[in-house]
């Protein structure tokens, strides 16, 4: 019996250790936390736009979700869910029923439980929100907007409420507007060179914090542009001299002609795409005053020229020239066309050594093919300040300046910006509209 007692005692001990052990285990590793809850979009203001709630509970999985909205002490159920499979992660989309809500303050209460013992751990979140289903309404403050294909226009307007995003939309391009000290908005936009007259239908758009999108048309007069056709012969001499600088940008290209075609197509497209990113790096008011200064020299190419490229008598490519080429003597001092701030200074693909100066509201001037750069990014420049020397870096056959004007990254014809009358009628008068509100 003594022997049997010893076994019982031993078992008892092992059992005790196991029980205490599991108790310790339970104590330290028990899931005490409710599920993580996240509602998006995260905004204090909501509309009829669907919301998403993401639930997560890595330890015990999810048991249930309940969403209730409370307005003026009245509670309405939005969602009730049970998750018998105890998923670790769940995403639920839901929209608010407008019949349960009036515009104004309400509370959204979310309650989630996990699959842990004894009914699970609960998480509860109460979000104080505002229900808003009214989109911002624009009122145009400026009069007729005269536009030419490839040209620019400035519009002044006010909005019935503060937006999260506003501007002018042309097709799928958006030109942001900037709020002025008067509380009104100014938007510089383009009639892009590649949009046909029949497709040009600019609209003001404004989205509020809740996601309500308001749109409004305005009076404008637009005429299509006429462009020159230009033939460019690409020689082996040009290819051998110019293409090695791009070898790292298109490593897959084999011959100098391959490099040329890839640079002229892909790199050009990438460089032009990147202009949009630069366009957002802008001051919220104009930094310049009066007409832009045209660099002295002969015009070698104009804005919008349709260029056909020929190699050994065969047409190999087509592109559109999106600036004005001006040539004078080799290594001419290049001056800022107007006051602004340098936002880019360095090698920029087809434009070679390049400077971009911001003039505010998305308006920027670009100086390409430089042989030397004398300014740095962030530097403020006055009109006529020397920013570098002309050259033939990038995709340039000879020493010249490629001068570009950009409106939120979209190239426009610089000729308007060189014209004091155009500036007076289309820019200065619009600025006055934005201040006075007509
Ligand atoms: Zn050019």
């Amino acid at each position: 019996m003594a022997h049997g007692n010893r076994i019982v005692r031993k078992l008892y001990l092992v059992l005790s250790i196991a029980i205490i052990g599991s108790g310790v285990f339970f104590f330290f590793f028990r899931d005490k936390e409710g599920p993580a809850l996240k509602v998006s979009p995260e905004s204090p203001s909501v509309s009829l736009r669907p919301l998403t709630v993401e639930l997560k509970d890595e330890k015990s999985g999810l048991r249930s979700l309940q969403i209730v909205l409370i307005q003026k002490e009245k509670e309405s159920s939005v969602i009730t869910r049970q998750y018998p499979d105890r998923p670790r992660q769940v995403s639920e989309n839901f929209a608010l029923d407008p019949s349960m809500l009036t515009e104004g303050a309400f509370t959204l209460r979310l309650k989630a439980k996990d699959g842990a013992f004894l009914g699970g751990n609960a998480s509860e979140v109460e979000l104080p929100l505002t229900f808003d289903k009214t989109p911002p309404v624009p009122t145009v403050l400026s009069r007729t907007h005269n536009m030419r294909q490839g040209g620019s226009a400035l519009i002044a307007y006010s909005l019935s409420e503060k937006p999260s995003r506003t501007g002018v939309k042309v097709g799928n391009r958006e030109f942001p507007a900037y709020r002025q000290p008067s509380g009104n908005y100014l938007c510089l936009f383009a009639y892009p060179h590649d949009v046909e007259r029949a497709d040009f239908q600019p609209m003001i758009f404004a989205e509020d914090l809740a996601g309500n999108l308001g749109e409004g048309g305005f009076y404008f007069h637009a005429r299509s542009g006429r462009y020159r056709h230009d033939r460019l012969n690409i020689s082996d001499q040009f290819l051998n001299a110019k293409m090695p600088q791009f070898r790292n940008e298109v490593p897959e290209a084999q011959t100098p002609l391959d490099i040329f075609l890839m640079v002229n197509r892909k790199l050009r497209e990438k460089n032009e795409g990147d202009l949009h990113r630069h366009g957002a790096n802008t001051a919220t008011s104009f930094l310049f005053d009066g007409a832009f200064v045209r660099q002295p020299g002969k015009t070698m190419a104009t804005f919008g020229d349709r260029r056909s490229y020929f190699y050994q008598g065969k047409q190999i490519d087509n592109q559109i020239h999106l600036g004005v080429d001006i040539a004078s003597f080799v290594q001419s001092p290049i001056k800022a066309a107007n006051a602004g701030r340098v936002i880019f200074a360095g090698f920029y693909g087809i434009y070679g050594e390049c400077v971009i100066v911001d003039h505010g509201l998305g308006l920027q001037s670009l100086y390409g093919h430089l042989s030397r750069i004398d300014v740095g990014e962030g530097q403020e420049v006055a009109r006529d300040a020397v920013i570098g020397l002309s050259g033939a870096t990038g995709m340039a056959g000879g020493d010249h300046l490629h001068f570009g004007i950009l409106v939120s990254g979209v190239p426009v014809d610089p000729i308007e910006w060189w014209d004091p009358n155009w500036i007076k009628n289309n820019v200065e008068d619009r600025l006055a509209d934005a201040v006075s509100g007509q």
Side-chain angles (χ1 to χ4, degrees):
M1 273 326 210
H3 181 70
N5 265 341
R6 218 180 317 144
I7 290 173
V8 169
R9 225 177 291 141
K10 222 179 219 170
L11 265 174
Y12 183 74
L13 192 69
V14 167
L15 211 62
S16 307
I17 290 170
I19 289 168
I20 293 166
S22 69
V24 167
F25 181 87
F26 189 72
F27 183 77
F28 281 106
F29 297 98
R30 183 167 67 102
D31 181 6
K32 285 169 290 182
E33 281 176 8
L37 276 166
K38 188 178 172 282
V39 179
S40 55
E42 276 179 79
S43 165
S45 202
V46 295
S47 62
L48 299 172
R49 181 172 62 170
L51 298 166
T52 302
V53 55
E54 278 168 76
L55 304 165
K56 212 185 218 179
D57 196 293
E58 292 294 349
K59 283 178 186 163
S60 316
L62 299 157
R63 181 187 299 262
S64 63
L65 168 69
Q66 209 184 3
I67 304 179
V68 172
L69 73 82
I70 307 146
Q71 191 174 42
K72 291 169 190 144
E73 282 155 36
K74 195 177 143 243
E75 292 196 11
S76 324
S77 171
V78 179
I79 272 190
T80 309
R81 294 268 191 280
Q82 299 292 331
Y83 308 108
D85 300 338
R86 303 285 185 263
R88 308 264 161 213
Q89 218 169 326
V90 158
S91 169
E92 298 277 5
N93 293 315
F94 63 100
L96 300 171
D97 180 351
S99 69
M100 292 176 180
L101 273 172
T102 53
E103 285 198 294
F106 74 100
T107 302
L108 202 62
R109 185 194 294 149
L110 300 99
K111 201 170 173 181
K113 281 186 178 175
D114 70 10
F117 293 125
L118 308 170
N121 305 295
S123 296
E124 197 172 310
V125 176
E126 283 204 0
L127 299 173
L129 298 169
T130 302
F131 180 56
D132 171 9
K133 55 177 182 173
T134 310
V137 180
T139 303
V140 179
L141 305 173
S142 44
R143 267 162 280 222
T144 324
H145 306 88
N146 289 304
M147 303 195 73
R148 204 166 56 82
Q149 192 180 16
S152 315
L154 186 64
I155 187 168
Y157 59 92
S158 63
L159 290 173
S160 59
E161 61 173 311
K162 215 171 174 178
S164 56
R165 215 165 58 84
T166 185
V168 169
K169 199 171 73 174
V170 178
N172 51 16
R173 285 186 175 105
E174 285 185 359
F175 297 90
Y178 296 91
R179 190 179 161 92
Q180 300 305 298
S182 63
N184 297 322
Y185 293 82
L186 275 174
C187 179
L188 184 66
F189 65 102
Y191 173 178
H193 67 94
D194 56 357
V195 173
E196 294 303 324
R197 176 64 192 88
D199 300 328
F200 181 60
Q201 195 55 248
M203 294 277 267
I204 296 172
F205 70 89
E207 190 176 311
D208 66 17
L209 281 173
N212 299 296
L213 181 66
E215 288 187 332
F218 53 88
Y219 287 105
F220 67 93
H221 178 75
R223 57 206 161 87
S224 38
R226 226 176 258 149
Y227 299 110
R228 298 199 319 189
H229 288 262
D230 207 6
R231 182 188 162 116
L232 274 85
N233 291 310
I234 302 301
S235 66
D236 283 320
Q237 197 187 349
F238 169 78
L239 293 176
N240 293 331
K242 290 284 147 190
M243 293 310 113
Q245 66 181 322
F246 297 116
R247 192 165 285 283
N248 292 335
E249 311 245 2
V250 284
E252 65 275 39
Q254 301 287 322
T255 65
L257 183 62
D258 284 346
I259 298 178
F260 171 80
L261 289 174
M262 281 189 182
V263 167
N264 211 35
R265 291 169 188 167
K266 281 197 205 155
L267 188 61
R268 180 183 297 274
E269 203 179 292
K270 183 188 177 296
N271 292 158
E272 283 166 6
D274 287 343
L275 292 174
H276 292 267
R277 190 167 44 78
H278 292 305
N281 183 6
T282 189
T284 56
S285 58
F286 280 140
L287 305 175
F288 71 97
D289 203 8
F292 282 57
V293 177
R294 185 190 175 285
Q295 181 77 22
K298 194 171 169 236
T299 301
M300 307 302 288
T302 58
F303 180 85
D305 287 358
R306 269 54 182 164
R307 286 179 160 175
S308 301
Y309 298 82
F310 285 79
Y311 178 68
Q312 293 178 350
K314 270 198 303 223
Q315 190 170 337
I316 51 166
D317 205 6
N318 284 304
Q319 294 296 335
I320 298 173
H321 185 246
L322 297 173
V324 175
D325 287 351
I326 299 166
S328 70
F329 54 89
V330 168
Q331 301 207 325
S332 316
I334 299 301
K335 295 171 177 178
N338 220 325
R341 187 173 63 91
V342 176
I343 56 141
F344 181 86
F347 187 76
Y348 194 5
I350 57 165
Y351 303 113
E353 295 297 328
C354 175
V355 172
I356 301 176
V357 177
D358 177 53
H359 305 287
L361 302 185
L363 182 69
Q364 299 179 335
S365 54
L366 180 150
Y367 311 79
H369 311 311
L370 306 181
S371 58
R372 199 181 84 193
I373 292 176
D374 293 337
V375 288
E377 286 170 15
Q379 191 177 329
E380 284 177 17
V381 288
R383 180 199 277 121
D384 281 334
V386 174
I387 56 172
L389 299 178
S390 71
T393 54
M395 197 69 111
D399 189 297
H400 74 275
L401 170 70
H402 172 95
F403 180 70
I405 291 275
L406 307 156
V407 168
S408 288
V410 175
V412 293
D413 197 340
I415 208 161
E416 293 178 334
W417 296 92
W418 287 329
D419 177 355
N421 286 324
W422 184 89
I423 297 258
K424 163 85 180 69
N425 296 330
N426 297 280
V427 178
E428 287 165 2
D429 290 356
R430 296 288 169 269
L431 290 175
D433 292 338
V435 174
S436 66
Q438 222 173 21

